[in-house]
Amino acid sequence: MSQKSIILIVTLFALLVAGMFVYASLKQAELQQSPAIVYPQANELPEEVLYPRITDIDAKHFVGQGAHTLVGEVDMPTPCDLLQVETIVMESYPEQIVLDFTVINNADDCIQMISSQRFKVELQASSGASFSAKFMGRDVRLNLFPADEGQLPDEFELFIKG
């Protein structure tokens, strides 16, 4: 091989190595400027929302002599889904009352058929008490409708157009 060929090959090799270093430094600068991708930890993954179609709960509101009675029904996806409600009364005046709805379903297999689950809540509170609702730990809209005169909580029918 001639001396010119060896010098040409060594020069090309040196330019290739220099080009690789320049490319690597440019990529490193680019990575430092771009925002880092944050992968969620196992405990930060979003939880699955149970019963996503339930966003509103309608109820008739009966008031009399410091007693409040809320009666309503919620459409559940199966007849095996049993509705349970617990009341949480905040210590304030007027009281702030949260209806905490949960679902109990111990069935392994159940037919998928919408069925209405009724609920009835009775409690003592001032006439200015405010009500809100949670369903399976998430906030939902509570629509309260005043009871008709002479109507009793045990005889309620909830007819809401909408």
Side-chain angles (χ1 to χ4, degrees):
M1 248 162 89
S2 72
Q3 191 175 4
K4 285 184 179 182
S5 297
I6 294 173
I7 292 174
L8 182 64
I9 290 173
V10 170
T11 305
L12 288 175
F13 182 71
L15 287 173
L16 179 68
V17 170
M20 288 174 34
F21 279 111
V22 169
Y23 179 76
S25 66
L26 288 174
K27 279 297 181 182
Q28 184 178 10
E30 182 181 319
L31 287 176
Q32 288 175 353
Q33 291 176 354
S34 65
I37 299 173
V38 178
Y39 295 100
Q41 300 295 325
N43 58 356
E44 294 177 1
L45 293 176
E47 294 181 21
E48 180 183 349
V49 175
L50 300 174
Y51 307 97
R53 294 184 182 201
I54 299 176
T55 58
D56 293 80
I57 296 179
D58 299 328
K60 284 250 181 157
H61 186 195
F62 297 86
V63 182
Q65 300 169 352
H68 295 265
T69 304
L70 303 171
V71 185
E73 57 188 29
V74 177
D75 288 335
M76 302 303 291
T78 71
C80 300
D81 293 325
L82 303 176
L83 191 64
Q84 183 177 359
V85 62
E86 183 179 317
T87 57
I88 302 168
V89 180
M90 307 293 181
E91 293 185 23
S92 62
Y93 191 83
E95 297 89 350
Q96 298 172 9
I97 301 165
V98 178
L99 304 180
D100 190 12
F101 291 89
T102 55
V103 177
I104 300 171
N105 186 340
N106 296 326
D108 293 332
D109 218 10
C110 196
I111 187 169
Q112 293 291 316
M113 180 178 75
I114 294 180
S115 63
S116 294
Q117 293 288 323
R118 290 187 172 203
F119 65 89
K120 181 178 180 181
V121 176
E122 297 176 310
L123 57 105
Q124 298 290 323
S126 65
S127 60
S130 64
F131 294 88
S132 62
K134 287 183 175 271
F135 187 85
M136 299 297 287
R138 61 186 166 83
D139 292 330
V140 294
R141 186 178 312 130
L142 180 63
N143 300 316
L144 295 180
F145 299 95
D148 296 331
E149 220 170 291
Q151 189 177 23
L152 299 174
D154 294 330
E155 303 169 349
F156 102 101
E157 287 296 326
L158 192 61
F159 294 111
I160 301 167
K161 294 183 180 181

